[in-house]
Amino acid sequence: MQDRVNLPADAVTVSLWDTLHDGDVLAIESDLLARSLTIVFQVGYVSRFQKLPDETRFVLKFSGVRSVQCLKSASWPGEFTVPPGTSREDERKLIDDYHSKWREESFAWGDLERTTGAGLEVSNALLATADAFVALQLGLLVGDGSYVDAFIRAERIDFFVGEDSVTLGAFSSLGEAYWEAFANRKPSGSDI
């Protein structure tokens, strides 16, 4: 996790990737007066695998919010192509070179909240915890092809699956079970 959230050395990090990867962000709602922030996700493949109703939402509720920040990666406007017949290794080098020309730009939090209607998909989610705070780094692919890194620092985070409050471990295990089954390749006809 980057220094943007000023993490102390004793912070413990936990990936939420297993449960949230490729999930859609349906809403980001801040309440400045209450110092709270709620993020609502839909992660269809996890819901189907866990045999949850289609309308099940995965929710992160932050309280005692101290900081929210986001940066948008602006793609380089020059031409980019991968010639036919390019090896995977050379393709990766071309893509890495192209991405090295992108730049980070500041992005207003309110604009991020309004962007949910244009489509936000989770690419990465990393949670850090310490005695007096939690911090989340959320990497999001935007419907217009750009990328946003969102950083949230708060006193507390609560996890919900639908209306049910769950522990961090229970929240993480939903996705971990899916990816374990995926790695073991259940027979066709399964929800993987």
Side-chain angles (χ1 to χ4, degrees):
M1 210 175 256
Q2 299 180 19
D3 189 44
R4 287 184 182 89
V5 288
N6 304 309
L7 300 178
D10 65 341
V12 176
T13 58
V14 177
S15 176
L16 300 179
W17 186 93
D18 287 337
T19 301
L20 296 177
H21 178 69
D22 285 344
D24 295 318
V25 178
L26 301 180
I28 302 173
E29 300 167 348
S30 294
D31 184 333
L32 292 171
L33 185 60
R35 297 180 56 227
S36 67
L37 174 71
T38 301
I39 307 176
V40 180
F41 303 88
Q42 180 178 20
V43 191
Y45 67 92
V46 173
S47 293
R48 285 187 300 278
F49 177 77
Q50 295 292 346
K51 299 187 180 355
L52 299 169
D54 290 339
E55 64 276 2
T56 299
R57 302 297 181 249
F58 298 83
V59 180
L60 305 180
K61 291 187 178 184
F62 297 87
S63 54
V65 175
R66 297 180 183 177
S67 173
V68 293
Q69 303 173 39
C70 53
L71 295 169
K72 187 173 188 176
S73 293
S75 61
W76 181 64
E79 185 175 323
F80 173 74
T81 58
V82 176
T86 301
S87 71
R88 288 295 239 182
E89 181 180 331
D90 289 341
E91 178 183 18
R92 173 79 341 229
K93 288 178 187 175
L94 289 170
I95 291 169
D96 288 345
D97 179 60
Y98 173 66
H99 284 159
S100 74
K101 296 174 184 173
W102 290 31
R103 73 175 185 193
E104 285 186 338
E105 297 178 349
S106 58
F107 193 61
W109 190 265
D111 290 341
L112 177 64
E113 289 184 7
R114 288 184 288 280
T115 302
T116 57
L120 291 175
E121 181 181 300
V122 177
S123 172
N124 190 32
L126 187 61
L127 180 70
T129 60
D131 285 338
F133 80 92
V134 296
L136 179 70
Q137 178 184 4
L138 195 58
L140 301 166
L141 300 169
V142 184
D144 66 6
S146 62
Y147 187 83
V148 171
D149 269 315
F151 301 91
I152 302 158
R153 184 176 171 140
E155 294 169 4
R156 178 185 168 105
I157 184 172
D158 292 297
F159 300 88
F160 293 85
V161 177
E163 299 296 319
D164 298 330
S165 176
V166 298
T167 65
L168 168 58
F171 188 85
S172 296
S173 69
L174 293 170
E176 290 167 357
Y178 169 84
W179 290 108
E180 184 178 321
F182 182 84
N184 293 330
R185 303 281 184 190
K186 283 180 107 178
S188 62
S190 71
D191 290 314
I192 297 181

